[in-house]
Amino acid sequence: MSIEVSKTVPDGLRSLVKAVSVLRADDPAAGERPPLVHLPDPDTSLIFRTTSAGRSDLLVIGPRTRASYHVGKDLPFCLRLRLRPGATRPLLGVPVSEVVDRVVPLRELWGASADPLDAALAYAGGDDGLALKHLEAALSARTSADGVRVELVQAAVQALRGRARERREPLPAIARHLAVSERHLRALFADAVGLSPKRYERIERVRQALALARADGPRWADLATATGYYDQSHMTAEFRTLMGVTPAAYFEGHLPALQPC
């Protein structure tokens, strides 16, 4: 078993990082590990993890367009920084579209300049406070984002994400409100977020449906209406596409065959 805990984002990382979490292994003798479920996710994350074999990895996890299901892993320590839309492109140094559905060692993107950070994090081990200080210093040194561009990306993301039980505006209307063309908005998303606006919205809608189902219970017709689907059959079809199973099957624990991670 593993325990995930949300951490406060350090002040020096607030403009770059939207959330920080730490995953620690519980008692390794506690029994069989539960399946590891990776939901569709529009965000890019920076991960530092250690393994039971004493290795460590510093990885970029790109946006995930579909859920994946894996055999549980024994990771004594895993620190995750969920990057802010708009800040990701300058931090990585490549368009975010290049890391969609990929797990990439940071060194592949930064070159040898990633080595000092990798070594410092390995030395910090499971001290998440010290690890965050190293990450804050390294990421802040690479901040070169265009403030206007970042604000535009984040405003577009917020509009597409919408709120549960509220209808989202269509993309042309969002573009008009932001005073840009629809074509420019699509190009901006591909570069800064890695996804098309439509795909971003589909992923966010499924994630909202999952969150509401956990909080309010799986009343499927009401859930479809609350999250902006045309009807229950539309929601079921989207679930099957993005999650690999229907909503009912997912919440009953009938998952696709587990794959090696």
Side-chain angles (χ1 to χ4, degrees):
M1 295 289 289
S2 297
I3 300 173
E4 186 168 11
V5 178
S6 296
K7 309 291 289 188
T8 300
V9 179
D11 290 341
L13 287 175
R14 289 186 184 276
S15 64
L16 307 174
V17 175
K18 62 191 290 189
V20 174
S21 61
V22 175
L23 185 71
R24 295 185 186 276
D26 199 355
D27 180 5
E32 184 178 353
R33 292 187 290 272
L36 184 61
V37 179
H38 292 308
L39 300 179
D41 193 339
D43 289 333
T44 299
S45 294
L46 183 62
I47 301 280
F48 175 74
R49 68 184 188 184
T50 61
T51 71
S52 56
R55 292 180 56 246
S56 63
D57 299 298
L58 182 56
L59 306 168
V60 172
I61 312 293
R64 188 180 303 110
T65 60
R66 285 179 170 78
S68 60
Y69 303 85
H70 304 281
V71 178
K73 296 183 69 174
D74 180 15
L75 295 175
F77 176 75
C78 183
L79 175 64
R80 178 184 186 122
L81 277 62
R82 190 177 286 271
L83 303 178
R84 288 192 180 279
T88 306
R89 168 63 160 99
L91 284 178
L92 300 186
V94 299
V96 184
S97 56
E98 293 189 13
V99 297
V100 173
D101 288 323
R102 295 180 62 201
V103 178
V104 183
L106 185 63
R107 196 182 197 280
E108 186 174 315
L109 305 177
W110 283 13
S113 61
D115 293 345
L117 175 59
D118 203 346
L121 293 173
Y123 181 78
D127 185 336
D128 54 87
L130 181 56
L132 281 171
K133 288 181 180 178
H134 291 311
L135 285 160
E136 182 176 350
L139 298 185
S140 298
R142 295 183 67 92
T143 303
S144 60
D146 178 340
V148 174
R149 179 183 171 89
V150 169
E151 289 181 7
L152 178 59
V153 171
Q154 293 183 353
V157 161
Q158 187 58 44
L160 283 167
R161 179 181 294 129
R163 295 181 180 177
R165 301 184 176 90
E166 292 184 6
R167 185 171 295 278
R168 299 165 179 81
E169 287 188 298
L171 186 62
I174 293 173
R176 284 197 301 271
H177 291 163
L178 296 175
V180 298
S181 69
E182 187 176 342
R183 180 178 180 181
H184 178 72
L185 190 56
R186 291 181 188 278
L188 183 66
F189 253 72
D191 184 69
V193 181
L195 306 167
S196 70
K198 181 177 179 62
R199 177 161 280 183
Y200 181 94
E201 184 181 20
R202 289 177 69 195
I203 292 171
E204 279 290 347
R205 190 159 45 194
V206 161
R207 291 176 66 89
Q208 284 188 356
L210 287 165
L212 282 178
R214 292 189 187 102
D216 300 341
R219 298 187 296 272
W220 305 125
D222 293 343
L223 187 63
T225 300
T227 48
Y229 292 102
Y230 297 124
D231 52 29
Q232 184 176 339
S233 63
H234 179 209
M235 182 182 71
T236 299
E238 284 287 271
F239 252 74
R240 194 186 296 276
T241 298
L242 272 68
M243 298 294 296
V245 291
T246 65
Y250 181 83
F251 281 98
E252 289 169 4
H254 301 314
L255 305 181
L258 302 183
Q259 302 297 319
C261 191

